[in-house]
Coordinates of all heavy atoms in Angstrom, one line a residue:
M1 N 4.8 -8.2 -10.6 CA 3.6 -7.6 -11.1 C 4.1 -6.7 -12.3 O 5.0 -6.0 -12.2 CB 3.0 -6.7 -10.1 CG 1.8 -6.0 -10.6 SD 0.9 -5.3 -9.2 CE -0.6 -5.0 -10.0
S2 N 3.4 -6.9 -13.4 CA 3.9 -6.1 -14.6 C 3.3 -4.7 -14.6 O 2.4 -4.4 -13.8 CB 3.4 -6.8 -15.9 OG 2.0 -6.7 -16.0
K3 N 3.8 -3.8 -15.4 CA 3.3 -2.5 -15.4 C 1.9 -2.3 -15.8 O 1.2 -1.4 -15.4 CB 4.2 -1.6 -16.4 CG 5.4 -1.1 -15.9 CD 6.1 -0.2 -16.9 CE 7.0 0.7 -16.2 NZ 7.6 1.7 -17.1
N4 N 1.3 -3.3 -16.6 CA 0.0 -3.2 -17.1 C -1.0 -3.9 -16.2 O -2.1 -4.2 -16.7 CB -0.1 -3.6 -18.5 CG 0.7 -2.7 -19.4 OD1 0.8 -1.6 -19.2 ND2 1.4 -3.3 -20.4
S5 N -0.7 -4.3 -15.0 CA -1.6 -5.1 -14.2 C -2.5 -4.1 -13.5 O -2.2 -2.9 -13.3 CB -0.8 -5.8 -13.1 OG 0.0 -6.8 -13.8
Y6 N -3.6 -4.6 -13.0 CA -4.5 -3.8 -12.2 C -4.7 -4.4 -10.8 O -4.5 -5.6 -10.6 CB -5.9 -3.9 -12.9 CG -5.9 -3.2 -14.3 CD1 -5.6 -4.0 -15.4 CD2 -6.1 -1.8 -14.4 CE1 -5.5 -3.3 -16.7 CE2 -6.0 -1.2 -15.6 CZ -5.7 -2.0 -16.8 OH -5.7 -1.4 -18.0
V7 N -5.1 -3.5 -9.9 CA -5.3 -3.9 -8.5 C -6.6 -3.3 -8.1 O -6.9 -2.1 -8.3 CB -4.2 -3.4 -7.6 CG1 -4.4 -3.7 -6.2 CG2 -2.8 -3.9 -8.0
A8 N -7.5 -4.1 -7.5 CA -8.8 -3.6 -7.0 C -8.5 -3.0 -5.6 O -8.0 -3.6 -4.7 CB -9.8 -4.7 -6.9
V9 N -8.9 -1.7 -5.5 CA -8.7 -0.9 -4.3 C -10.1 -0.7 -3.7 O -10.9 -0.1 -4.4 CB -7.9 0.4 -4.5 CG1 -7.8 1.1 -3.2 CG2 -6.6 0.1 -5.2
P10 N -10.3 -1.0 -2.4 CA -11.6 -0.8 -1.8 C -12.0 0.7 -1.8 O -11.1 1.6 -1.6 CB -11.4 -1.3 -0.4 CG -10.3 -2.2 -0.4 CD -9.4 -1.7 -1.5
N11 N -13.2 1.0 -2.1 CA -13.7 2.4 -2.1 C -13.5 3.0 -0.7 O -13.3 4.2 -0.7 CB -15.2 2.4 -2.5 CG -15.4 2.2 -3.9 OD1 -14.5 2.4 -4.8 ND2 -16.6 1.7 -4.3
T12 N -13.5 2.3 0.3 CA -13.3 2.8 1.7 C -12.0 3.5 1.8 O -11.8 4.4 2.5 CB -13.6 1.8 2.8 OG1 -12.7 0.7 2.5 CG2 -15.0 1.3 2.8
I13 N -11.0 2.9 1.1 CA -9.6 3.5 1.2 C -9.5 4.7 0.3 O -9.0 5.7 0.7 CB -8.6 2.4 0.7 CG1 -8.5 1.2 1.7 CG2 -7.2 3.0 0.6 CD1 -8.1 1.6 3.1
I14 N -10.1 4.6 -0.9 CA -10.0 5.7 -1.8 C -10.7 7.0 -1.3 O -10.2 8.1 -1.4 CB -10.6 5.3 -3.2 CG1 -9.8 4.2 -3.8 CG2 -10.7 6.5 -4.1 CD1 -10.5 3.5 -5.0
T15 N -11.8 6.8 -0.7 CA -12.6 7.9 -0.3 C -12.4 8.4 1.2 O -13.0 9.3 1.6 CB -14.1 7.7 -0.4 OG1 -14.5 6.5 0.3 CG2 -14.5 7.4 -1.9
D16 N -11.6 7.7 1.9 CA -11.3 8.0 3.3 C -10.5 9.3 3.4 O -9.3 9.4 3.1 CB -10.6 6.9 4.0 CG -10.5 7.1 5.5 OD1 -10.6 8.3 6.0 OD2 -10.3 6.1 6.2
P17 N -11.2 10.4 3.9 CA -10.5 11.7 4.0 C -9.4 11.7 5.1 O -8.6 12.6 5.2 CB -11.6 12.7 4.2 CG -12.6 11.9 4.9 CD -12.5 10.5 4.3
G18 N -9.5 10.8 6.0 CA -8.5 10.7 7.1 C -7.2 10.1 6.8 O -6.3 10.1 7.6
L19 N -7.1 9.5 5.7 CA -5.8 8.8 5.3 C -5.0 9.8 4.4 O -5.5 10.4 3.5 CB -6.1 7.6 4.5 CG -6.6 6.4 5.2 CD1 -6.9 5.2 4.2 CD2 -5.7 5.9 6.3
Y20 N -3.7 9.9 4.7 CA -2.8 10.7 3.9 C -2.7 10.0 2.5 O -2.8 8.8 2.4 CB -1.4 10.7 4.6 CG -1.4 11.6 5.8 CD1 -1.2 10.9 7.0 CD2 -1.5 13.0 5.8 CE1 -1.1 11.7 8.2 CE2 -1.4 13.7 6.9 CZ -1.2 13.1 8.2 OH -1.2 13.8 9.3
P21 N -2.4 10.8 1.5 CA -2.2 10.3 0.2 C -1.1 9.2 0.2 O -1.1 8.2 -0.5 CB -1.9 11.5 -0.7 CG -2.6 12.6 0.0 CD -2.5 12.3 1.5
S22 N 0.0 9.5 1.0 CA 1.1 8.5 1.0 C 0.7 7.2 1.6 O 1.1 6.1 1.2 CB 2.3 9.1 1.8 OG 1.9 9.4 3.1
T23 N -0.2 7.2 2.6 CA -0.8 6.0 3.2 C -1.6 5.2 2.1 O -1.5 4.0 2.1 CB -1.6 6.3 4.4 OG1 -0.8 7.1 5.4 CG2 -2.2 5.0 5.1
K24 N -2.3 5.9 1.4 CA -3.1 5.3 0.3 C -2.2 4.6 -0.7 O -2.4 3.5 -1.2 CB -4.0 6.3 -0.4 CG -5.1 6.7 0.5 CD -6.0 7.8 -0.2 CE -7.1 8.3 0.8 NZ -8.0 9.2 0.2
R25 N -1.1 5.3 -1.1 CA -0.1 4.8 -2.1 C 0.6 3.5 -1.5 O 0.8 2.6 -2.2 CB 0.9 5.8 -2.5 CG 0.4 6.9 -3.3 CD 1.4 7.8 -4.0 NE 2.5 8.2 -3.1 CZ 2.5 9.4 -2.5 NH1 1.5 10.2 -2.7 NH2 3.5 9.7 -1.8
V26 N 0.9 3.6 -0.2 CA 1.5 2.4 0.4 C 0.5 1.2 0.4 O 0.9 0.1 0.1 CB 2.0 2.7 1.8 CG1 2.5 1.4 2.6 CG2 3.2 3.7 1.8
Y27 N -0.7 1.5 0.7 CA -1.7 0.5 0.8 C -1.9 -0.2 -0.6 O -1.9 -1.4 -0.7 CB -3.1 1.1 1.2 CG -4.2 0.1 1.3 CD1 -4.3 -0.7 2.5 CD2 -5.1 -0.2 0.3 CE1 -5.3 -1.6 2.6 CE2 -6.1 -1.2 0.4 CZ -6.2 -1.8 1.6 OH -7.2 -2.8 1.8
V28 N -1.9 0.6 -1.7 CA -2.0 0.1 -3.0 C -0.7 -0.7 -3.4 O -0.8 -1.8 -4.0 CB -2.2 1.2 -4.0 CG1 -2.1 0.7 -5.5 CG2 -3.6 1.9 -3.9
A29 N 0.4 -0.3 -2.9 CA 1.7 -1.1 -3.2 C 1.6 -2.4 -2.5 O 2.0 -3.4 -3.0 CB 2.9 -0.3 -2.7
M30 N 1.0 -2.4 -1.2 CA 0.9 -3.6 -0.5 C -0.1 -4.6 -1.2 O 0.1 -5.8 -1.3 CB 0.4 -3.3 0.9 CG 1.4 -2.7 1.8 SD 0.8 -2.1 3.3 CE 0.5 -3.6 4.2
L31 N -1.2 -4.0 -1.8 CA -2.1 -4.9 -2.5 C -1.5 -5.4 -3.8 O -1.7 -6.6 -4.1 CB -3.3 -4.0 -3.0 CG -4.4 -3.6 -1.9 CD1 -5.4 -2.8 -2.5 CD2 -5.0 -4.9 -1.3
A32 N -0.6 -4.6 -4.4 CA 0.0 -5.1 -5.7 C 1.0 -6.2 -5.4 O 1.2 -7.1 -6.2 CB 0.7 -3.9 -6.3
Y33 N 1.6 -6.2 -4.2 CA 2.6 -7.2 -3.9 C 2.0 -8.4 -3.2 O 2.7 -9.4 -3.0 CB 3.7 -6.6 -3.0 CG 4.8 -5.9 -3.7 CD1 5.2 -4.6 -3.2 CD2 5.4 -6.4 -4.8 CE1 6.3 -3.9 -3.8 CE2 6.4 -5.7 -5.4 CZ 6.8 -4.5 -4.9 OH 7.9 -3.8 -5.5
K34 N 0.8 -8.3 -2.8 CA 0.1 -9.4 -2.0 C 0.1 -10.7 -2.9 O -0.3 -10.6 -4.1 CB -1.3 -9.0 -1.6 CG -2.0 -10.0 -0.8 CD -3.4 -9.4 -0.4 CE -4.3 -9.5 -1.6 NZ -5.7 -9.4 -1.4
S35 N 0.3 -11.8 -2.3 CA 0.3 -13.1 -3.0 C -1.2 -13.6 -3.1 O -2.1 -13.0 -2.4 CB 1.1 -14.2 -2.2 OG 0.5 -14.6 -1.1
R36 N -1.4 -14.6 -3.8 CA -2.8 -15.2 -3.9 C -3.3 -15.7 -2.6 O -4.5 -15.8 -2.4 CB -2.8 -16.3 -5.0 CG -2.6 -15.7 -6.3 CD -2.7 -16.9 -7.4 NE -2.3 -16.3 -8.7 CZ -3.0 -16.6 -9.8 NH1 -4.0 -17.4 -9.7 NH2 -2.6 -16.1 -10.9
K37 N -2.4 -16.0 -1.7 CA -2.7 -16.6 -0.4 C -3.0 -15.4 0.6 O -3.4 -15.6 1.7 CB -1.6 -17.4 0.2 CG -1.4 -18.8 -0.6 CD -0.3 -19.6 0.0 CE -0.1 -20.8 -0.8 NZ 0.9 -21.7 -0.2
G38 N -2.7 -14.2 0.2 CA -2.9 -13.0 1.0 C -1.8 -12.6 1.9 O -1.9 -11.8 2.7
T39 N -0.6 -13.2 1.5 CA 0.6 -12.8 2.3 C 1.4 -11.8 1.6 O 1.3 -11.6 0.4 CB 1.5 -14.1 2.5 OG1 1.9 -14.6 1.3 CG2 0.8 -15.1 3.3
L40 N 2.2 -11.1 2.4 CA 3.1 -10.0 1.8 C 4.5 -10.2 2.4 O 4.7 -10.1 3.6 CB 2.5 -8.6 2.3 CG 3.3 -7.4 1.8 CD1 3.2 -7.3 0.3 CD2 2.7 -6.2 2.5
N41 N 5.5 -10.4 1.5 CA 6.8 -10.6 1.9 C 7.8 -9.6 1.3 O 8.7 -9.9 0.6 CB 7.4 -12.0 1.4 CG 6.5 -13.1 1.9 OD1 5.5 -13.0 2.6 ND2 6.9 -14.3 1.5
K42 N 7.5 -8.3 1.5 CA 8.3 -7.3 0.9 C 8.9 -6.4 2.0 O 8.3 -6.3 3.1 CB 7.5 -6.4 -0.1 CG 7.0 -7.2 -1.3 CD 8.1 -7.7 -2.1 CE 7.6 -8.5 -3.3 NZ 8.6 -9.3 -4.0
T43 N 10.0 -5.8 1.7 CA 10.7 -5.0 2.7 C 10.2 -3.6 2.6 O 9.5 -3.2 1.7 CB 12.2 -4.9 2.5 OG1 12.4 -4.3 1.2 CG2 12.9 -6.3 2.5
V44 N 10.5 -2.8 3.7 CA 10.1 -1.4 3.7 C 10.7 -0.7 2.5 O 10.0 0.1 1.8 CB 10.5 -0.7 5.0 CG1 10.4 0.8 4.9 CG2 9.7 -1.3 6.2
A45 N 11.9 -1.0 2.1 CA 12.6 -0.4 1.0 C 11.8 -0.7 -0.3 O 11.6 0.2 -1.2 CB 14.0 -0.8 0.9
Q46 N 11.4 -2.0 -0.5 CA 10.6 -2.3 -1.7 C 9.3 -1.6 -1.7 O 8.9 -1.1 -2.8 CB 10.4 -3.8 -1.7 CG 11.7 -4.6 -2.0 CD 11.6 -6.1 -1.8 OE1 11.0 -6.5 -0.8 NE2 12.1 -6.9 -2.7
L47 N 8.6 -1.5 -0.6 CA 7.3 -0.8 -0.6 C 7.5 0.7 -0.8 O 6.7 1.3 -1.5 CB 6.6 -1.0 0.8 CG 6.0 -2.4 1.0 CD1 5.6 -2.5 2.4 CD2 4.9 -2.7 0.0
A48 N 8.6 1.3 -0.3 CA 8.9 2.7 -0.5 C 9.2 2.9 -2.0 O 8.7 3.9 -2.6 CB 10.2 3.1 0.3
M49 N 9.9 2.1 -2.7 CA 10.2 2.3 -4.1 C 8.9 2.1 -4.9 O 8.6 3.0 -5.8 CB 11.2 1.2 -4.6 CG 11.6 1.5 -6.0 SD 12.9 0.4 -6.7 CE 13.3 -0.8 -5.4
R50 N 8.1 1.2 -4.6 CA 6.8 1.0 -5.3 C 5.8 2.1 -5.1 O 5.1 2.5 -6.1 CB 6.2 -0.4 -4.9 CG 4.9 -0.8 -5.6 CD 5.2 -1.2 -7.0 NE 4.0 -1.6 -7.6 CZ 4.0 -2.5 -8.6 NH1 5.1 -3.0 -9.1 NH2 2.9 -2.9 -9.1
S51 N 5.8 2.6 -3.9 CA 4.8 3.7 -3.6 C 5.3 5.1 -3.8 O 4.6 6.0 -3.6 CB 4.3 3.5 -2.1 OG 5.3 3.6 -1.2
H52 N 6.6 5.2 -4.1 CA 7.2 6.5 -4.3 C 7.1 7.4 -3.0 O 6.8 8.5 -3.0 CB 6.6 7.3 -5.5 CG 6.7 6.6 -6.8 ND1 7.9 6.5 -7.4 CD2 5.8 5.9 -7.4 CE1 7.7 5.8 -8.5 NE2 6.4 5.4 -8.6
C53 N 7.4 6.7 -1.9 CA 7.4 7.3 -0.6 C 8.8 7.0 0.1 O 9.5 6.1 -0.3 CB 6.4 6.7 0.4 SG 4.7 7.1 -0.2
S54 N 9.1 7.7 1.1 CA 10.3 7.4 1.9 C 10.1 6.2 2.8 O 8.9 5.9 3.1 CB 10.7 8.6 2.8 OG 9.7 8.8 3.8
P55 N 11.2 5.5 3.2 CA 11.0 4.4 4.1 C 10.3 4.8 5.4 O 9.5 4.0 5.9 CB 12.4 3.9 4.3 CG 13.1 4.3 3.1 CD 12.5 5.6 2.7
S56 N 10.6 6.0 5.9 CA 9.9 6.4 7.1 C 8.4 6.6 6.9 O 7.6 6.3 7.8 CB 10.5 7.6 7.7 OG 10.4 8.7 6.8
A57 N 8.0 7.1 5.7 CA 6.6 7.3 5.4 C 5.9 5.9 5.3 O 4.7 5.8 5.7 CB 6.5 8.1 4.1
V58 N 6.6 4.9 4.7 CA 6.1 3.6 4.6 C 5.8 3.0 6.0 O 4.8 2.5 6.3 CB 7.0 2.7 3.8 CG1 6.5 1.2 3.9 CG2 7.0 3.1 2.4
Q59 N 6.8 3.2 6.9 CA 6.6 2.7 8.3 C 5.5 3.3 9.0 O 4.7 2.7 9.6 CB 7.9 2.9 9.1 CG 9.0 2.0 8.6 CD 10.4 2.3 9.2 OE1 10.6 3.4 9.6 NE2 11.2 1.2 9.4
Q60 N 5.3 4.7 8.8 CA 4.2 5.4 9.4 C 2.9 4.9 8.8 O 1.9 4.7 9.5 CB 4.4 6.9 9.2 CG 3.3 7.7 9.8 CD 3.5 9.2 9.6 OE1 4.4 9.6 8.9 NE2 2.8 10.0 10.2
A61 N 2.8 4.7 7.5 CA 1.6 4.3 6.8 C 1.2 2.9 7.3 O 0.0 2.6 7.5 CB 1.8 4.2 5.3
V62 N 2.2 2.0 7.4 CA 1.9 0.6 7.9 C 1.4 0.6 9.3 O 0.4 0.0 9.7 CB 3.2 -0.3 7.8 CG1 2.9 -1.6 8.5 CG2 3.5 -0.5 6.3
A63 N 2.0 1.5 10.2 CA 1.5 1.6 11.5 C 0.0 2.2 11.5 O -0.8 1.7 12.3 CB 2.4 2.6 12.3
E64 N -0.2 3.1 10.7 CA -1.6 3.7 10.7 C -2.6 2.7 10.1 O -3.7 2.5 10.7 CB -1.6 5.0 9.8 CG -3.0 5.6 9.7 CD -3.0 6.8 8.8 OE1 -2.0 7.2 8.2 OE2 -4.1 7.4 8.7
L65 N -2.2 2.0 9.1 CA -3.1 0.9 8.5 C -3.4 -0.2 9.5 O -4.5 -0.7 9.6 CB -2.6 0.4 7.2 CG -2.6 1.4 6.1 CD1 -1.7 0.9 4.9 CD2 -4.0 1.7 5.6
T66 N -2.4 -0.6 10.2 CA -2.5 -1.6 11.2 C -3.4 -1.1 12.4 O -4.3 -1.9 12.8 CB -1.1 -2.0 11.8 OG1 -0.3 -2.4 10.7 CG2 -1.2 -3.1 12.8
H67 N -3.2 0.1 12.8 CA -4.0 0.7 13.8 C -5.5 0.7 13.4 O -6.4 0.5 14.3 CB -3.5 2.1 14.2 CG -4.4 2.8 15.2 ND1 -4.4 2.4 16.6 CD2 -5.2 3.8 15.2 CE1 -5.2 3.1 17.2 NE2 -5.7 4.0 16.4
R68 N -5.8 1.0 12.2 CA -7.1 1.1 11.7 C -7.8 -0.3 11.4 O -8.9 -0.4 11.1 CB -7.2 2.0 10.4 CG -7.0 3.4 10.7 CD -6.9 4.2 9.4 NE -7.1 5.6 9.6 CZ -8.1 6.3 9.2 NH1 -9.0 5.8 8.5 NH2 -8.2 7.6 9.4
G69 N -6.9 -1.3 11.4 CA -7.4 -2.6 11.1 C -7.5 -3.0 9.6 O -8.1 -3.8 9.2

């Protein structure tokens, strides 16, 4: 993904007061890396670098997002 690309983020994620800002950043990173088929093949380290979060924050965010569906 180039620096000038755009990603559509659902309003439910942007406006959800129950999500930590780091969780939202990880979600956006996951959207940015998602393939056209909807798959994601990135490591925690890659998501951490893209979202500017620690690897443990990425793991926590993925767990929270998975729990929320």
Side-chain angles (χ1 to χ4, degrees):
M1 180 170 196
S2 71
K3 276 187 158 183
N4 297 324
S5 296
Y6 296 92
V7 176
V9 181
N11 286 335
T12 54
I13 296 297
I14 295 169
T15 60
D16 188 337
L19 288 177
Y20 289 110
S22 58
T23 302
K24 292 178 184 183
R25 288 194 312 266
V26 170
Y27 185 84
V28 171
M30 292 170 71
L31 286 176
Y33 279 135
K34 184 180 75 164
S35 73
R36 290 180 189 225
K37 294 181 181 179
T39 59
L40 179 68
N41 304 0
K42 297 299 177 188
T43 65
V44 169
Q46 289 169 315
L47 289 172
M49 188 175 2
R50 181 72 175 209
S51 62
H52 302 285
C53 295
S54 67
S56 61
V58 170
Q59 290 173 331
Q60 183 179 6
V62 169
E64 181 180 2
L65 292 167
T66 302
H67 176 71
R68 287 175 166 244

